[in-house]
Amino acid sequence: MAFALKQLSTKTEVDSVIRSTFDKVLVLRFGRSTDMACMQVDDILEKAQDKISRMADVYTVEVEKVPIYAHYFDISFIPATIFFFNAQHIKVDYGTPDHTKFIGPFKKTQDFIDLVEVILRGALHGKVMVSSPIDPRDVPKYDLVYKNI
């Protein structure tokens, strides 16, 4: 379903997009295009793309094609959506143990739009961490498992 979304397939492409996106939120969806949950997220991202085009750029990244970022961001569950602003990784408090990424599908397109807006407003004020506007009941719950610690 990610035909209308821009895709990044190499580390160089991801690095370039992170460094060259200014004054907009950069949204990277890490996952697999064949995964049902990723298809659901991609559908929401596509629907929201026109509405957030002045606030954000959205890309999809296949985890198998860019394993260095999958390892760096500790992407063990997919889909994982990560946000940047002016090459700065923006963290969001979703009420989960991990503030670095949103794991799982968004319930509604409006949840995603609201999240991008909150991230943009916070980032424009110099914040590197913002509070999620998404209802905690709509945030997927999971447990972090630390390996080899």
Side-chain angles (χ1 to χ4, degrees), residues 10 12-13 17-18 39 46-47 55 60 63 72-73 75 83 87-88 103 107 111-112 114 120 122 131-132 143 145:
T10 66
T12 306
E13 289 177 352
V17 167
I18 290 172
M39 288 180 192
E46 279 183 55
K47 288 177 183 175
M55 293 187 286
T60 62
V63 290
Y72 181 76
F73 289 116
I75 297 173
F83 302 92
Q88 174 71 44
I103 296 175
K107 300 276 187 202
D111 286 344
F112 173 70
D114 292 345
L120 180 63
S131 295
S132 172
D143 291 322
V145 178

Side-chain angles (χ1 to χ4, degrees), residues 97-127:
D98 189 359
H99 302 311
T100 61
K101 58 193 164 285
F102 185 88
I103 296 175
F106 296 96
K107 300 276 187 202
K108 298 176 279 202
T109 304
Q110 192 60 46
D111 286 344
F112 173 70
I113 294 169
D114 292 345
L115 181 59
V116 169
E117 187 175 345
V118 165
I119 290 170
L120 180 63
R121 285 183 182 175
L124 287 172
H125 287 91
K127 295 182 178 181

Side-chain angles (χ1 to χ4, degrees), residues 3-14:
F3 300 118
L5 297 173
K6 296 172 263 183
Q7 296 182 340
L8 304 174
S9 57
T10 66
K11 180 188 180 304
T12 306
E13 289 177 352
V14 174

